């Protein structure tokens, strides 16, 4: 399961993320208390090119709520490089939808 999650993270172009809860939200100063906190983004990767930045919170993928790594993995399970997904991202208290085209997965 961890390898599967790692591969999908690479296809999005981020390599460090944290599952958000109330304690972590307070520590990093975000309003959202559930979702996936993007801790770092690969410069030039698909997420970066779509405008996702460190500190963003991913709350949904293709309209389905994301509250855990497992949610994200399940939602990305049927996707392949070149597919475009819609991520709902919260930044500075504002929510927006971002289109991301998945990149190649590194083995």
């Amino acid at each position: 399961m961890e390898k599967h999650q790692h591969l999908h993270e690479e296809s999005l172009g981020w390599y460090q993320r944290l599952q958000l809860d109330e304690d972590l939200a307070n520590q990093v100063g975000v309003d959202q208390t559930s979702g996936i906190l993007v801790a770092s983004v690969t410069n030039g990767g698909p997420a970066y090119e779509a405008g996702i930045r460190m500190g963003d919170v991913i709350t949904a993928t293709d309209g389905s709520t994301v509250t855990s790594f497992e949610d994200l993995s399940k939602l990305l399970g049927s996707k392949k490089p070149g597919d475009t997904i819609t991520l709902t991202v919260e930044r500075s208290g504002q929510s927006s939808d971002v289109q991301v085209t998945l990149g190649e997965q590194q083995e």
Side-chain angles (χ1 to χ4, degrees), residues 63-83:
S64 296
T65 301
V66 171
T67 60
S68 68
F69 303 130
E70 291 77 20
D71 290 344
L72 183 62
S73 182
K74 286 177 191 174
L75 293 167
L76 293 176
S78 63
K79 306 295 182 185
K80 60 187 183 306
D83 286 350

Side-chain angles (χ1 to χ4, degrees), residues 3-65:
K3 182 178 179 187
H4 182 67
Q5 290 174 352
H6 180 65
L7 289 175
H8 285 302
E9 289 162 20
E10 287 179 0
S11 69
L12 284 166
W14 62 50
Y15 58 90
Q16 194 172 31
R17 79 288 183 260
L18 303 168
Q19 191 164 313
L20 197 58
D21 60 20
E22 192 171 341
D23 289 337
L24 181 57
N26 289 332
Q27 288 177 15
V28 297
V30 296
D31 295 331
Q32 189 69 29
T33 58
S34 67
I36 304 296
L37 176 68
V38 178
S40 61
V41 180
T42 303
N43 192 13
Y48 182 88
E49 294 298 322
I52 294 174
R53 298 295 182 260
M54 182 176 73
D56 287 351
V57 179
I58 308 301
T59 59
T61 301
D62 290 336
S64 296
T65 301

